[in-house]
Amino acid sequence: IELDLKGLLQPIASTGFSIKLFPYYKAPRDIRPFDVPVKLVDFELAKSKSAQTVYQKNLPGDILWDLVLERVTTCIDNVNHVRRIARLAQMEEETVVLALKHLDYYGCIALVDIFKFSNIYEAQHQMRELLRDPNLQRECLEYVTGGGHSGSDVQLEELLRLYTTLQQRRTVAEWVVDNGVDVDRLDVRRFVVFGVIHGLLRRVHRYPILSEPRPRSEDESAEPDVGLEPRILGMLDGAHPLDEISVASGLDAVTLRGKFSLHGKVEYMYM
């Protein structure tokens, strides 16, 4: 049997492929009315850089920015929650949520809870990253002491110690007193926000449950209801955190707890 190997021995032509790699982004998270967006980038710088990149010249930074994004980012101050941003921007809440999802998708914002001194936080095992990452340590010092406080004598060792003491279901107010935290030296809100963003802290939410509704008498049924409207009362089922109920009702936590008592015994789950 004779085989013609001539064709088989011919050099094989190489084939080239042009592949463009794009960054992978996680799907945008659900954003709730009581979430607080925190800026991770300088929006003004981002706008100017975008215009320069596309047009290769200096142009107004807002030339490429959507008007909705412009109005929403103006109201982001790391304190306002979603519903308040919608009210300040005079926009529908759904529109604000879509804009924030866009910013969240590209890593321009982080989402944290409404900061209050009655909140409860717990230290997480990610604290080890802060112990061994010099860059994260530097970022922590800069962020925590950058809120208008002098911060000149705040040391990393002090921040590490304070983070680890956030536990045992103590409120931030109780933690401040127990640890003698000087709020003139340390911006407590920024301290907590940094911990939440980087996974060093976890918020422990309170979920109220109306366990023993108080029966209404005939005399009471004739009086104007000074308690909670049925829509809000229906949220006392253990499925809604106190933050959500507070934003939905427009009432602060102290006022809510007073109104809870008008309707019966309310217990809390901590999660």
Side-chain angles (χ1 to χ4, degrees):
I1 299 175
E2 294 184 0
L3 296 176
D4 183 6
L5 300 178
K6 183 177 180 181
L8 298 177
L9 298 177
Q10 294 293 327
I12 300 174
S14 61
T15 302
F17 294 92
S18 296
I19 300 177
K20 187 175 181 64
L21 300 178
F22 293 92
Y24 171 77
Y25 297 105
K26 294 182 180 179
R29 295 169 286 177
D30 291 333
I31 297 180
R32 304 162 298 184
F34 54 95
D35 284 329
V36 177
V38 175
K39 293 183 286 187
L40 298 181
V41 300
D42 185 328
F43 292 133
E44 293 302 320
L45 181 60
K47 287 189 291 185
S48 62
K49 289 294 184 182
S50 298
Q52 292 175 16
T53 300
V54 173
Y55 293 102
Q56 301 298 311
K57 61 177 69 174
N58 290 326
L59 289 170
D62 57 0
I63 191 171
L64 295 177
W65 274 60
D66 181 85
L67 291 178
V68 171
L69 281 177
E70 178 70 25
R71 291 172 64 180
V72 169
T73 54
T74 301
C75 299
I76 296 177
D77 63 352
N78 303 344
V79 175
N80 293 332
H81 53 69
V82 172
R83 182 155 295 174
R84 184 178 297 162
I85 290 174
R87 185 168 63 248
L88 292 173
Q90 299 181 340
M91 300 171 62
E92 293 292 334
E93 191 171 301
E94 293 78 5
T95 304
V96 172
V97 167
L98 287 175
L100 293 174
K101 281 189 173 183
H102 182 80
L103 294 171
D104 182 43
Y105 181 76
Y106 288 106
C108 298
I109 61 172
L111 297 172
V112 300
D113 48 83
I114 301 171
F115 176 79
K116 299 184 294 292
F117 278 90
S118 58
N119 289 357
I120 298 174
Y121 297 90
E122 288 182 348
Q124 301 295 289
H125 68 273
Q126 287 91 331
M127 189 68 62
R128 292 176 295 183
E129 296 299 320
L130 186 60
L131 290 170
R132 59 193 179 196
D133 187 341
N135 293 326
L136 186 60
Q137 295 170 1
R138 190 178 310 108
E139 185 180 352
C140 179
L141 274 171
E142 291 176 355
Y143 188 87
V144 169
T145 60
H149 300 281
S150 62
S152 58
D153 59 343
V154 175
Q155 302 297 320
L156 177 64
E157 291 75 12
E158 180 182 3
L159 297 180
L160 290 171
R161 179 185 63 80
L162 290 174
Y163 273 126
T164 58
T165 57
L166 276 163
Q167 53 191 349
Q168 300 177 350
R169 287 193 182 170
R170 289 181 299 173
T171 66
V172 174
E174 292 170 336
W175 169 82
V176 167
V177 174
D178 292 346
N179 290 275
V181 178
D182 186 348
V183 295
D184 291 326
R185 292 177 56 247
L186 182 67
D187 189 321
V188 176
R189 184 187 66 82
R190 294 175 71 90
F191 173 84
V192 169
V193 168
F194 183 88
V196 172
I197 290 175
H198 292 276
L200 310 177
L201 300 176
R202 181 183 73 87
R203 169 77 185 280
V204 179
H205 283 279
R206 297 181 182 91
Y207 291 79
I209 304 172
L210 184 59
S211 58
E212 298 179 13
R214 184 171 68 89
R216 294 173 61 92
S217 65
E218 293 183 1
D219 293 338
E220 289 176 323
S221 61
E223 297 176 356
D225 185 12
V226 294
L228 298 171
E229 58 180 287
R231 176 179 63 92
I232 302 301
L233 193 61
M235 299 175 74
L236 304 183
D237 58 357
H240 303 275
L242 191 58
D243 280 2
E244 180 181 359
I245 299 173
S246 178
V247 170
S249 64
L251 302 172
D252 61 85
V254 174
T255 303
L256 276 175
R257 285 195 290 268
K259 288 184 176 291
F260 288 166
S261 63
L262 299 175
H263 296 276
K265 182 179 179 181
V266 172
E267 298 178 348
Y268 293 89
M269 290 192 305
Y270 292 82
M271 298 175 59

